[in-house]
Amino acid sequence: MSTPLDTPDQGGTTTLDRELEELIREENIEPGDHERFSHYVKKDKILESAITGKPVRALCGKKWTPGRDPEKFPVCPTCKEIYESLVG
């Protein structure tokens, strides 16, 4: 006799494992010049990330978990351009 947990694609541990693998893939730090800049992110998302540890996505598309002082880096030119086009 099978149980719902034994049947893939109907929930259970198989689904959880697949969802976890997808989250891990999505949360990888993106390589490139983005690491040299401070990025624009909604304030509430920064706070949420500080509490939960979840990564944030900047206006330019960079996805990472904040953990450094943004004052020590120049502003991302792509984020700045997008922000100025939204408010200006």
Side-chain angles (χ1 to χ4, degrees):
M1 174 179 230
S2 80
T3 64
L5 293 179
D6 295 331
T7 309
D9 300 327
Q10 291 186 3
T13 58
T14 302
T15 301
L16 292 176
D17 289 343
R18 192 173 359 165
E19 290 174 358
L20 179 59
E21 288 173 7
E22 183 177 329
L23 284 173
I24 290 170
R25 274 193 307 274
E26 288 177 2
E27 291 182 11
N28 286 334
I29 294 175
E30 296 174 358
D33 289 342
H34 292 293
E35 297 302 318
R36 301 181 324 179
F37 299 113
S38 294
H39 296 274
Y40 289 174
V41 178
K42 290 183 180 181
K43 287 182 184 180
D44 62 323
K45 295 296 182 184
I46 295 286
L47 178 59
E48 180 183 340
S49 177
I51 294 169
T52 65
K54 291 181 180 179
V56 295
R57 186 168 305 274
L59 287 177
C60 67
K62 163 80 173 141
K63 188 173 183 178
W64 84 108
T65 303
R68 60 184 187 170
D69 183 1
E71 299 292 324
K72 295 181 180 180
F73 299 90
V75 173
C76 168
T78 306
C79 281
K80 186 175 182 178
E81 182 181 325
I82 293 169
Y83 177 78
E84 288 173 353
S85 73
L86 294 172
V87 297

